[in-house]
């Protein structure tokens, strides 16, 4: 026998039988010498897998394989065409009978091509037009081990194959990234299909190359998921919501959709009081509570901070929409517990309804935003459905904001001053600086009509700095002219903790003409309810610069009375609401007066309008009075005359003391 024949033990990686021609091919002197060689030492993992595939084919279907292989006896390459078949060993295991039909003398490029085909991880297969497998390289055989694999078997959806084959017939090739069946289960492959001919028969065939991209697909899906999702709450994010709106806008007529803008009332206070971890957990809980109220056709997105937007499908009737919104509010407004602390939760919601025939999404988003503002204006903890009247008010507000932004440049913001009188001495001891807007068309506008606009638009920072600059300049002028009174000015909560505002205070304090204690900064009681250590530090910094500190609107907030004595407060101003409700509120006013005395602060009664109120507050012991009973706010240019008139009337006994 001239052909080399040997038996290879696949399990033990050794040649166990060989004829003389095989010994020459393997460059072995004897059969025992060849059998002693451990062929696994220089075997690649690809070859090892391929041999296992052969073994499986022998066992399953008594298969026979014919391939070009390169052997490496003593490290020297020899390429041979080999026929492989199963060979049962005495112990019952299946080995491999190898019959070398010829020594290949092909060009190096051909040999290297065959070797690359054997070792590549790209799965290469050839299928007949009937779908029957004609050839699979080792990578493909490792994916589909059955010897009877048909092309339709690997497709999850048969319609995908029909589409691909039609495309191949029309264009000659096709490419898809698709989910397919393998012996390991469902995976994602990047697959190319090309029309060709079977080199053995000349019959039409389809060449399929495939790369496993499952990990890449999952990574991209994860990246896409993360790009669309809010990382904290797992809701959709603003970017996804915006794209969803664009898709809605491009869609055809459909059922009405209710668009809800929702945020948590006083979320910042919760964050400041309990910490950001508590705030984050509250946001997560809020998202879960909202999700529990939604259907698969609804959408929830977190668009920033504590703001959520909800799209409710099937908004066919106002009653149905109201019922669903009430359900959401009731669910969200349940107490939240953080480290055994009970946090009360309320929410404000703005609602607009997008009809099926109108998909101008941006318009309805703005309407929901306007309605949310209305809910907050009405006191929070409610929902408001957009109306045209709200829209007109919102437009007016935008107009006011635009005009207000340029009012500072045009010099339309003016300061008025309201004197504060000491009943004991009959002297004016100070004046509160109050901003007014002299509108060219609407006349003099009171703070109640533009302060909120300043706060919402960020112009409050400009206003606070303007009032500070003007007040410091005024009090220096007063002292130079012989008017020895102080001035007080309001500081917004936003500016209180602003480092830029502190820098401005420091700059003014360094001016030699600004007397220590001549400027009093009024903060609202709500400021004291924030981080009290931080508040105390800021107050000490202000007083160290020579400013006095007063608490405005005292009695309307939630400050800790046990802690307030630790703040460097020189004055407490009793809120006008208590003055207006006397004598019912007298016990509260008396308590505030006593508290002021205990901490060594003066008390100022604001909003004294008549003799009865003056007499009542005087009997309680409050001696500093501010209100229209003595003088309404006057232009700062008139303050000298106003002070002179008041003190003259006191001396003449014309005013009650």
């Amino acid at each position: 026998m001239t052909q080399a024949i040997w038996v290879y033990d696949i399990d033990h990686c050794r040649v166990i039988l060989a004829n003389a021609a095989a010994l020459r091919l393997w460059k072995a002197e004897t059969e025992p010498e060849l059998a002693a060689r451990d062929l696994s030492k220089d075997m690649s993992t690809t070859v090892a897998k391929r041999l296992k595939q052969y073994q499986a084919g022998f066992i399953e279907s008594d298969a026979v394989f014919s391939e070009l292989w390169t052997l490496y006896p003593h490290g020297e390459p020899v390429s041979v065409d080999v026929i492989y078949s199963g060979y049962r060993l005495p112990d019952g295991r299946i080995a491999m009978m190898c019959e070398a039909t010829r020594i290949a003398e092909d060009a190096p490029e051909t040999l290297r091509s065959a070797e690359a085909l054997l070792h590549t991880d790209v799965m290469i297969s050839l299928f007949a037009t009937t779908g029957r497998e004609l050839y699979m390289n080792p990578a493909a055989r490792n994916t589909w081990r059955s010897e009877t694999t048909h092309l339709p078997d690997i497709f999850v959806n048969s319609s995908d194959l029909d589409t691909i084959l039609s495309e191949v017939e029309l264009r000659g090739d096709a490419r898809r990234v698709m989910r397919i069946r393998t012996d390991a289960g469902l995976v994602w492959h990047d697959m190319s299909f090309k029309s060709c001919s079977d080199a053995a028969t000349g019959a039409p065939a389809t060449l399929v190359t495939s790369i496993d991209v499952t990990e890449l697909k999952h990574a991209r899906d994860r990246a896409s998921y993360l790009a669309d999702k809010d990382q904290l709450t797992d809701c959709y994010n603003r970017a996804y919501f915006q794209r969803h709106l664009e898709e809605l806008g491009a869609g055809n007529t459909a059922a009405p959709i209710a668009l809800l803008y929702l945020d948590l009332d006083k979320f910042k206070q919760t964050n400041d009081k309990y910490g950001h971890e508590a705030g984050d957990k509250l946001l997560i809980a809020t998202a879960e509570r909202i999700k529990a109220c939604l259907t698969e056709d609804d959408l929830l997105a977190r668009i920033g901070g504590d703001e959520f937007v909800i799209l409710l499908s099937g908004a066919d009737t106002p009653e149905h929409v109201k019922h669903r919104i009430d359900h959401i509010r009731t669910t969200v407004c349940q107490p939240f517990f953080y480290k055994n602390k009970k946090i009360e939760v309320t929410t404000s919601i703005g609602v607009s309804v997008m009809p099926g025939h109108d998909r101008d999404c941006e318009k309805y988003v703005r309407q929901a935003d306007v309605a949310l503002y209305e809910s907050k204006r009405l006191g929070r903890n409610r929902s408001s459905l957009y109306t045209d009247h709200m829209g007109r008010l919102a437009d007016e507000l935008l107009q006011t904001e635009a005009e207000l932004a340029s009012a500072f440049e045009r010099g339309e913001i003016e300061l008025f001053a309201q004197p504060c009188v000491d009943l004991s001495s009959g002297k004016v001891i100070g004046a509160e600086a109050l901003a007014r807007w002299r509108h060219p068309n609407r006349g003099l506008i009171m703070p109640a009509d533009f302060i909120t606009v300043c706060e919402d638009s960020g112009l409050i920072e400009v206003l606070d700095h303007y009032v500070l600059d003007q007040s410091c300049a005024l009090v220096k002028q007063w002292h130079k002219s012989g008017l020895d009174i102080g001035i007080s000015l309001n500081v917004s909560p936003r500016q209180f903790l602003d480092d830029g505002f502190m820098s401005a205070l420091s700059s003014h304090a360094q001016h030699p003409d600004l007397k220590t204690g001549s400027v009093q900064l009024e903060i609202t009681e709500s400021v004291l309810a924030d981080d009290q250590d931080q508040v105390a530090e800021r107050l000490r910094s202000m007083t160290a610069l020579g400013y006095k500190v007063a608490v405005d609107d005292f009695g309307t907030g939630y400050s800790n009375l046990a802690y307030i004595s630790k703040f460097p407060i020189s004055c407490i101003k009793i809120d006008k609401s208590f003055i207006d409700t006397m004598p019912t509120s007298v016990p509260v006013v008396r308590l505030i007066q006593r508290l002021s005395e205990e901490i060594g602060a003066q008390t100022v009664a604001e909003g004294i309008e008549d003799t009865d109120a003056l007499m009542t507050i005087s009997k309680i012991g409050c001696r500093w009075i501010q209100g229209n009973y003595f003088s309404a706010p006057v232009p700062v240019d008139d303050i000298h005359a106003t002070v002179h008139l008041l003190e003259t009337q006191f001396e003449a006994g014309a005013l009650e003391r």
Side-chain angles (χ1 to χ4, degrees):
M1 183 178 292
T2 59
Q3 290 180 325
I5 299 175
W6 65 96
V7 175
Y8 179 73
D9 186 339
I10 298 173
D11 296 325
H12 297 140
C13 301
R14 295 177 187 275
V15 175
I16 56 176
L17 297 171
N19 67 359
L23 292 176
R24 288 193 298 273
L25 177 65
W26 283 97
K27 300 185 185 321
E29 293 293 332
T30 64
E31 190 175 76
E33 179 197 339
L34 179 57
R37 297 179 187 176
D38 182 1
L39 301 183
S40 68
K41 290 182 178 180
D42 300 318
M43 186 181 296
S44 69
T45 56
T46 302
V47 170
K49 288 181 180 179
R50 184 58 167 163
L51 294 175
K52 286 295 185 180
Q53 291 171 2
Y54 288 159
Q55 188 179 47
F58 302 149
I59 295 172
E60 291 177 6
S61 59
D62 200 21
V64 176
F65 303 96
S66 177
E67 287 189 351
L68 175 66
W69 275 68
T70 300
L71 309 178
Y72 295 89
H74 296 307
E76 299 178 10
V78 179
S79 295
V80 294
D81 286 324
V82 185
I83 297 174
Y84 301 106
S85 59
Y87 183 91
R88 188 170 295 277
L89 298 175
D91 60 6
R93 294 183 298 111
I94 296 296
M96 182 169 68
M97 173 77 77
C98 308
E99 182 180 351
T101 57
R102 74 179 182 93
I103 302 295
E105 297 179 354
D106 299 320
E109 291 80 5
T110 303
L111 297 176
R112 289 165 181 156
S113 175
E115 193 74 0
L117 193 64
L118 174 68
H119 288 85
T120 181
D121 289 330
V122 178
M123 291 153 273
I124 303 174
S125 307
L126 190 68
F127 292 92
T129 54
T130 60
R132 180 175 61 86
E133 169 214 325
L134 298 174
Y135 167 78
M136 284 189 177
N137 75 337
R141 181 61 64 200
N142 193 51
T143 303
W144 299 284
R145 294 187 177 89
S146 172
E147 295 298 325
T148 58
T149 300
H150 280 63
L151 186 57
D153 296 340
I154 70 176
F155 281 81
V156 176
N157 298 314
S158 59
S159 61
D160 290 340
L161 175 60
D162 295 337
T163 303
I164 289 170
L165 292 180
S166 297
E167 190 173 332
V168 170
E169 184 177 359
L170 180 65
R171 295 172 39 193
D173 60 15
R175 183 177 177 181
R176 296 285 191 282
V177 174
M178 59 176 57
R179 203 177 187 200
I180 63 170
R181 293 189 180 94
T182 70
D183 289 358
L186 296 178
V187 296
W188 288 90
H189 277 197
D190 184 345
M191 305 184 74
S192 294
F193 303 81
K194 294 182 182 296
S195 177
C196 65
S197 297
D198 179 4
T201 66
T206 302
L207 179 67
V208 180
T209 58
S210 184
I211 302 174
D212 190 333
V213 294
T214 303
E215 291 186 5
L216 178 61
K217 180 68 167 60
H218 288 168
R220 287 181 174 175
D221 288 348
R222 179 62 179 168
S224 177
Y225 173 86
L226 293 176
D228 290 340
K229 289 284 189 170
D230 172 59
Q231 302 304 297
L232 178 64
T233 63
D234 200 39
C235 299
Y236 288 113
N237 58 21
R238 179 186 288 274
Y240 179 86
F241 174 68
Q242 195 62 42
R243 290 201 308 274
H244 187 76
L245 285 184
E246 292 171 0
E247 292 171 3
L248 281 178
N252 297 322
T253 301
I257 296 173
L259 195 154
L260 282 61
Y261 257 81
L262 176 152
D263 72 7
L264 299 177
D265 298 330
K266 299 183 178 180
F267 177 73
K268 182 181 183 300
Q269 286 89 325
T270 300
N271 236 358
D272 293 343
K273 185 174 182 179
Y274 298 101
H276 288 286
E277 181 184 8
D280 287 348
K281 289 186 179 299
L282 175 56
L283 290 173
I284 294 170
T286 299
E288 292 302 319
R289 290 173 177 182
I290 296 173
K291 289 176 185 177
C293 303
L294 304 183
T295 70
E296 61 180 12
D297 295 324
D298 302 327
L299 183 140
L300 169 65
R302 178 181 174 224
I303 58 175
D306 61 323
E307 297 178 345
F308 295 86
V309 65
I310 306 166
L311 296 180
L312 297 181
S313 61
D316 299 298
T317 65
E319 293 77 17
H320 179 64
V321 173
K322 183 179 184 305
H323 172 75
R324 296 202 62 190
I325 293 172
D326 289 345
H327 180 45
I328 291 172
R329 278 196 61 241
T330 302
T331 304
V332 171
C333 296
Q334 298 296 318
F336 174 72
F337 291 89
Y338 174 73
K339 294 183 178 179
N340 297 322
K341 296 177 181 177
K342 181 180 179 181
I343 302 175
E344 297 295 338
V345 180
T346 61
T347 181
S348 297
I349 303 175
V351 186
S352 66
V353 177
M354 188 186 313
H357 64 274
D358 183 359
R359 284 297 190 243
D360 185 356
C361 298
E362 289 301 324
K363 176 176 72 176
Y364 294 101
V365 168
R366 181 176 179 275
Q367 288 182 0
D369 194 22
V370 169
L372 175 61
Y373 182 85
E374 180 69 6
S375 291
K376 292 181 174 296
R377 189 185 70 82
L378 295 175
R380 299 184 173 89
N381 192 23
R382 67 189 66 231
S383 63
S384 298
L385 177 64
Y386 175 83
T387 64
D388 290 339
H389 178 66
M390 288 183 199
R392 287 191 293 272
L393 291 178
D395 290 340
E396 292 174 3
L397 189 63
L398 286 175
Q399 178 66 26
T400 299
E401 182 179 320
E403 293 176 348
L404 187 57
S406 58
F408 292 95
E409 300 174 3
R410 295 196 298 262
E412 296 171 6
I413 305 301
E414 301 177 4
L415 280 193
F416 277 51
Q418 185 173 39
C420 180
V421 175
D422 181 359
L423 293 181
S424 301
S425 64
K427 298 291 185 181
V428 174
I429 46 90
E432 180 178 358
L434 300 166
R436 299 289 187 265
W437 179 11
R438 194 171 295 280
H439 193 280
N441 300 319
R442 296 160 58 187
L444 197 64
I445 301 177
M446 297 294 106
D449 296 322
F450 68 86
I451 291 296
T452 301
V453 179
C454 286
E455 292 173 340
D456 293 342
S457 64
L459 289 172
I460 193 68
E461 178 178 351
V462 179
L463 179 62
D464 279 356
H465 279 274
Y466 172 81
V467 173
L468 174 63
D469 294 344
Q470 294 297 311
S471 297
C472 290
L474 278 171
V475 77
K476 288 184 289 187
Q477 292 175 9
W478 293 346
H479 292 166
K480 283 184 178 180
S481 64
L483 184 61
D484 192 18
I485 64 173
I487 194 168
S488 63
L489 58 108
N490 293 285
V491 178
S492 68
R494 180 171 174 173
Q495 289 300 105
F496 176 74
L497 293 175
D498 181 72
D499 291 337
F501 190 72
M502 275 300 299
S503 296
L505 289 175
S506 177
S507 177
H508 282 294
Q510 294 173 20
H511 197 286
D513 292 339
L514 188 68
K515 294 182 179 179
T516 298
S518 62
V519 177
Q520 180 171 268
L521 306 175
E522 297 188 10
I523 61 173
T524 60
E525 187 184 3
S526 61
V527 169
L528 304 182
D530 290 335
D531 185 331
Q532 294 178 336
D533 291 334
Q534 186 181 22
V535 169
E537 181 181 354
R538 180 52 55 96
L539 291 176
R540 284 192 291 269
S541 298
M542 290 176 170
T543 55
L545 291 173
Y547 295 95
K548 292 181 178 179
V549 176
V551 180
D552 197 14
D553 302 332
F554 191 82
T556 61
Y558 303 94
S559 57
N560 187 331
L561 297 182
Y563 201 91
I564 200 170
S565 61
K566 300 180 180 180
F567 294 138
I569 294 170
S570 59
C571 177
I572 290 179
K573 304 187 79 171
I574 303 171
D575 188 67
K576 186 177 183 299
S577 62
F578 294 113
I579 305 300
D580 293 342
T581 55
M582 291 191 301
T584 304
S585 60
V586 164
V588 177
V589 175
R590 187 175 288 117
L591 178 63
I592 296 173
Q593 175 65 29
R594 190 175 306 145
L595 173 66
S596 297
E597 293 171 356
E598 289 293 330
I599 65 174
Q602 290 289 345
T603 307
V604 174
E606 291 186 292
I608 300 298
E609 306 284 342
D610 54 47
T611 303
D612 289 342
L614 178 65
M615 297 304 294
T616 302
I617 202 73
S618 178
K619 290 178 181 177
I620 292 174
C622 180
R623 308 303 295 167
W624 286 11
I625 307 298
Q626 182 179 333
N628 290 347
Y629 178 81
F630 290 118
S631 173
V634 298
V636 291
D637 291 342
D638 297 339
I639 194 67
H640 287 79
T642 302
V643 171
H644 177 72
L645 176 63
L646 286 174
E647 293 182 348
T648 300
Q649 289 177 324
F650 270 115
E651 291 176 1
L655 290 176
E656 293 284 348
R657 297 172 60 179

